[in-house]
Amino acid sequence: MRTMAQIDAWYDAEMDKAERKGKLEGKLEGKLQGKLESATRAIGVKFQGYVPTENMMSQLAALNEQQLDDFIVGLFSWQVVAQMEEWLKSLDS
């Protein structure tokens, strides 16, 4: 049987571990959110006057960090919105 001191020490250790995990997940989520915002701004700069559809925004939000990087790099070579949309569709396949 554990003493109260042992239980308290275990509880404190578990809480510290959970807090560190939460901070790490928060940083990763924040980084991903920042890339999503950058991608959205880049679309507006590249294709002035184009307003991303709700569907496109949900597709972008579903991308992982590497895919968002690839998307932003792709914006440099795409000449028309259709190329960007085709790239996003290719990920669904």
Side-chain angles (χ1 to χ4, degrees), residues 18-84:
E19 185 176 326
R20 284 192 307 275
K21 182 180 176 188
K23 285 181 181 178
L24 177 61
E25 289 174 356
K27 285 181 184 176
L28 293 175
E29 187 175 308
K31 184 176 181 183
L32 194 58
Q33 182 64 30
K35 285 186 180 203
L36 179 59
E37 290 171 7
S38 293
T40 304
R41 280 193 301 270
I43 291 169
V45 170
K46 175 72 178 197
F47 303 113
Q48 292 183 2
Y50 174 77
V51 178
T53 63
E54 189 174 317
N55 183 44
M56 176 176 280
M57 291 308 296
S58 66
Q59 285 177 301
L60 287 174
L63 300 180
N64 63 37
E65 186 176 351
Q66 181 60 52
Q67 290 169 322
L68 275 171
D69 287 342
D70 293 344
F71 178 84
I72 293 168
V73 169
L75 280 171
F76 291 105
S77 63
W78 299 325
Q79 299 302 310
V80 293
V81 173
Q83 291 174 308
M84 175 180 64

